[in-house]
Amino acid sequence: AIRAADPHLEVILGHFLTNEVRLPRADGAGLVRVVRTEEKGSDVNIATHLLHDAHRGAMECAVLITNDSDLLEPVRIVRQEIGLPVGILFPVANAGRKPSAELLQQASFVRQIRSSLLRQCQLPNPVPSPTGAIFKPAGW
C-alpha cells in the first residue's frame, strides 16, 4: 500500500517468525504451549541504512519514528562521530508514555506523535494500485 501510494518511497522490510514454544505459567503450575511471533530484522535494517546513508553523505538529517533503545548505538555514531543530527519521533498510545531515556540522551531532538495526528495521516482506504485496490484490515 505504501509503495502504491508513493512510488518514490523506498520500503525496506523485516520479517516475522512464528514458533510454538513451551513457557512457564504465571501461577507456577507447569508449562503451557504458546505460539510466539517475533519481528526480526527491522531494527537491524534501520540501523544499517541510517549508518550507510550517513557515511555516504546521502542525508543532512535523519528522523526515526521509534522508541526502541536498540537503535541507541547507530544514533550515537551518526551524531557524535559523523556529526549529523538525528531526531526521534515516537508514537504515544497513552498520555503517560515517555520516550526512551537512552534515546533522549543521544537524539538531536525528540517529539511525540499524538494518536490524533496519526489518525489524520492514514493512507486512504482503499489505496489504488496497478494490481487492484488495497484495503486496510478491519481491525486497524
Side-chain angles (χ1 to χ4, degrees), residues 97-117:
R97 186 168 182 199
K98 300 208 182 291
S100 160
E102 295 89 355
L103 285 175
L104 271 175
Q105 293 173 358
Q106 291 300 327
S108 305
F109 58 90
V110 177
R111 302 286 186 276
Q112 292 181 343
I113 305 173
R114 294 180 313 279
S115 297
S116 60
L117 183 60

Side-chain angles (χ1 to χ4, degrees), residues 25-137:
R25 290 176 44 108
D27 63 7
L31 300 173
V32 293
R33 290 183 348 191
V34 298
V35 175
R36 175 182 284 172
T37 302
E38 296 179 85
E39 176 275 327
K40 302 299 259 179
S42 294
D43 53 354
V44 172
N45 288 343
I46 291 168
T48 301
H49 284 274
L50 173 67
L51 290 167
H52 183 63
D53 288 350
H55 276 287
R56 65 188 176 109
M59 64 181 202
E60 295 176 15
C61 175
V63 177
L64 303 178
I65 301 173
T66 188
N67 200 23
D68 187 347
S69 61
D70 287 348
L71 295 169
L72 178 64
E73 187 62 5
V75 169
R76 186 197 67 75
I77 290 170
V78 170
R79 288 230 31 243
Q80 292 181 6
E81 297 182 22
I82 301 173
L84 293 173
V86 179
I88 302 295
L89 304 181
F90 73 99
V92 179
N94 59 40
R97 186 168 182 199
K98 300 208 182 291
S100 160
E102 295 89 355
L103 285 175
L104 271 175
Q105 293 173 358
Q106 291 300 327
S108 305
F109 58 90
V110 177
R111 302 286 186 276
Q112 292 181 343
I113 305 173
R114 294 180 313 279
S115 297
S116 60
L117 183 60
L118 285 176
R119 280 190 295 279
Q120 295 171 27
C121 296
Q122 297 295 303
L123 293 173
N125 189 28
V127 173
S129 87
T131 58
I134 302 169
F135 291 87
K136 183 179 357 179

